[in-house]
Amino acid sequence: MTQPELECWQWPEEVWRGKVDRVRAGRSLKPKKWKNGARCAVALSFDADHETNELRDGGQSVGRLSWGQYGTRVGVPRILKMLKREDIKATFFVPAVAALLHPEEQKQVIAEGHEIGLHGWIHEVNTRVPPQNERELHFRSADTLEKITGVRPVGMRTPSWDFSEVTLQIQRELGLLYDSSLFADEDPYELIDKGEATGMVELPVEWIRDDAVYFNMNRFQALRPYTGPETVFDIFRREFDGAYEDGGLFLLTMHPHVITYRSRFWILEELVRHAKAKGDVWFASHAEIAQYVKDEAGL
């Protein structure tokens, strides 16, 4: 007879301690100075999900599929134009299915000097995928992005920042330089896998530094947040100012189908101007930042 699962308050210490210790933050990798003596590093990232947000949920809504198409039709070109004008590099996290739907976009992103990182196969919910299938999907995604762009990804952002019990193990098998899905700090740190230092860099994220939580909505659900662009800019600016004051990392997560509308895109443009006005800020891809902090730490 199958024994009933214990409630959390019934767990012995080895159970709750084991859950906590699966993936932990290790030593801080925040450098004393950033590249070329910069006080602060800025990592702009764009999760180019496109149609995969709806495909993951069944692909029944033509409207939501068209919203995804806006991301590639209007969003990414607008972003690339701004990045070229400002002469800064960024990272695009792309589900493999989105890359297959829009291969020329991925080639352009790479050709213009930006980075493409892993972001799942079809923006699946990682923790709902059996471990053996999760491994196959991540390896297939890496192979797909490499085939399209000619460059093998060195970093991963799990879809929706959903990290399973085996994700870190798979990332290590893939030989990745960094992950950018977890929340244990504001600055880079080394990932610990069941007590073992991995040498992998975590570039931590946070929902308050993500455009989607302020603007996304689904009219068939109770998901209808909306924060005025001026308020969102103020939050992002204060996050940057704090990172600058601390000599740390400012990492911003955005989505081409969210941030690029005419009434919102100024947030990003003004934030870049604000950061550049400091004079000693290093704009870099996630891979560049991860490699720099790893080298500085002697990993």
Side-chain angles (χ1 to χ4, degrees):
M1 180 179 293
T2 303
Q3 294 295 317
E5 291 190 12
L6 297 177
E7 298 289 346
C8 61
W9 49 269
Q10 296 175 309
W11 290 343
E13 181 175 346
E14 63 266 22
V15 172
W16 54 256
R17 192 175 292 279
K19 289 181 179 292
V20 168
D21 286 342
R22 281 179 300 208
V23 179
R24 298 293 277 173
R27 60 170 165 161
S28 172
L29 299 179
K30 176 183 174 183
K32 293 181 179 179
K33 281 288 185 181
W34 294 96
K35 188 173 181 179
N36 300 323
R39 181 183 178 91
C40 176
V42 173
L44 301 179
S45 57
F46 301 93
D47 292 2
D49 304 329
H50 301 336
E51 293 91 343
T52 62
N53 278 322
E54 174 55 23
L55 289 174
R56 173 200 59 208
D57 294 335
Q60 299 302 310
S61 172
V62 173
R64 287 180 64 81
L65 288 169
S66 72
W67 191 21
Q69 190 178 12
Y70 172 92
T72 185
R73 184 181 176 91
V74 178
V76 170
R78 188 165 285 167
I79 291 165
L80 289 176
K81 182 179 179 180
M82 185 277 292
L83 293 174
K84 181 178 288 188
R85 182 180 70 242
E86 298 293 340
D87 191 27
I88 55 181
K89 303 306 178 189
T91 297
F92 292 73
F93 292 100
V94 185
V97 168
L100 288 166
L101 285 167
H102 310 287
E104 294 307 314
E105 174 185 295
Q106 317 318 315
K107 293 174 184 177
Q108 182 182 359
V109 167
I110 292 295
E112 295 190 10
H114 306 295
E115 177 194 5
I116 289 180
L118 291 163
H119 199 44
W121 175 255
I122 197 167
H123 211 273
E124 63 278 0
V125 179
N126 237 25
T127 50
R128 295 180 188 171
V129 178
Q132 67 275 17
N133 297 107
E134 182 185 345
R135 182 184 184 280
E136 192 276 329
L137 285 174
H138 287 316
F139 271 82
R140 192 199 319 169
S141 298
D143 291 343
T144 299
L145 292 178
E146 182 179 20
K147 184 176 180 180
I148 291 172
T149 67
V151 179
R152 191 153 184 93
V154 298
M156 179 187 293
R157 173 168 293 159
T158 56
S160 303
W161 301 338
D162 191 42
F163 210 91
S164 83
E165 294 183 8
V166 298
T167 300
L168 180 53
Q169 175 187 329
I170 296 167
Q171 292 175 330
R172 297 180 72 184
E173 285 187 64
L174 280 164
L176 296 185
L177 168 66
Y178 75 89
D179 174 75
S180 185
S181 316
L182 301 175
F183 302 77
D185 205 318
E186 296 168 317
D187 294 310
Y189 59 87
E190 183 179 8
L191 285 167
I192 303 296
D193 185 0
K194 301 181 183 69
E196 178 189 357
T198 65
M200 266 189 66
V201 177
E202 179 64 35
L203 301 179
V205 293
E206 224 304 319
W207 290 110
I208 57 173
R209 287 180 274 109
D210 184 310
D211 59 357
V213 300
Y214 303 108
F215 297 126
N216 261 2
M217 67 162 284
N218 186 328
R219 75 184 191 90
F220 298 111
Q221 299 176 6
L223 182 62
R224 301 194 179 193
Y226 189 83
T227 308
E230 294 83 0
T231 300
V232 176
F233 171 70
D234 186 61
I235 294 169
F236 289 170
R237 179 182 58 80
R238 289 173 185 271
E239 282 287 313
F240 165 77
D241 287 346
Y244 182 84
E245 181 66 25
D246 290 343
L249 170 67
F250 174 70
L251 188 155
L252 186 62
T253 301
M254 293 161 286
H255 300 76
H257 68 289
V258 176
I259 195 64
T260 60
Y261 286 92
R262 291 166 178 149
S263 62
R264 300 174 186 167
F265 197 57
W266 69 268
I267 298 171
L268 177 57
E269 294 175 310
E270 186 60 32
L271 194 63
V272 168
R273 284 193 287 268
H274 177 71
K276 279 191 166 186
K278 297 289 187 181
D280 54 350
V281 171
W282 178 39
F283 285 87
S285 71
H286 285 44
E288 290 173 317
I289 290 170
Q291 190 64 60
Y292 180 82
V293 301
K294 187 170 183 175
D295 290 345
E296 287 292 295
L299 289 179

